[in-house]
Amino acid sequence: VAEPPEPPDSFGRSIESVEAEARGDKAEKKRAKAGDLSTNGLELRDAHAKLYPGVPAPRITTKTDDFHGNIDYVWTTPQLRVTKLLALPRGTDVPEGGAFPPIPSADWPSDHLATGVEFVV
């Protein structure tokens, strides 16, 4: 399975990531990049994990000819109660996406499947 494409640096880059890149430290660069998005002290949690503790998250939210994976998340905080999740199409909950076709396609016009959460404050 191919690695997912690098995300754009639209959230800015941490100083740790920039310094790691300058040193050529690939492990540190990858670790720093994974934490680039600042939470400003918020305790963010994956909404799926909050509603279904112990249940694996969806296997795929995107699929191409050479990549499949869950790259779309909805984050929540302890102050919000997750009450519902938007169901994903059949075939996305098994390894490698099962028979789910690469997207976009005629049936699924986006390269990402919709994710949705209902919250109560």
Side-chain angles (χ1 to χ4, degrees):
V1 173
E3 287 289 316
E6 284 292 319
D9 290 330
S10 59
F11 296 113
R13 297 176 65 200
S14 68
I15 190 67
E16 292 87 0
S17 177
V18 173
E19 290 171 348
E21 185 174 340
R23 288 191 310 270
D25 184 346
K26 292 181 182 180
E28 175 64 22
K29 179 181 172 189
K30 188 166 188 159
R31 185 202 63 74
K33 192 173 206 72
D36 278 352
L37 178 60
S38 172
T39 62
N40 289 323
L42 291 174
E43 294 179 35
L44 297 179
R45 302 288 181 263
D46 177 10
H48 184 277
K50 191 170 180 179
L51 187 60
Y52 300 111
V55 176
R59 300 278 186 142
I60 68 167
T61 57
T62 190
K63 185 175 181 181
T64 66
D65 290 332
D66 60 357
F67 174 78
H68 63 274
N70 181 5
I71 60 173
D72 300 288
Y73 296 87
V74 176
W75 300 104
T76 185
T77 66
Q79 295 79 19
L80 297 174
R81 185 167 55 97
V82 178
T83 58
K84 293 181 185 176
L85 293 174
L86 181 65
L88 289 170
R90 279 198 184 121
T92 60
D93 57 348
V94 295
E96 300 179 17
F100 195 80
I103 52 177
S105 67
D107 293 326
W108 304 97
S110 176
D111 62 341
H112 294 257
L113 297 173
T115 57
V117 176
E118 183 176 285
F119 294 106
V120 173
V121 179

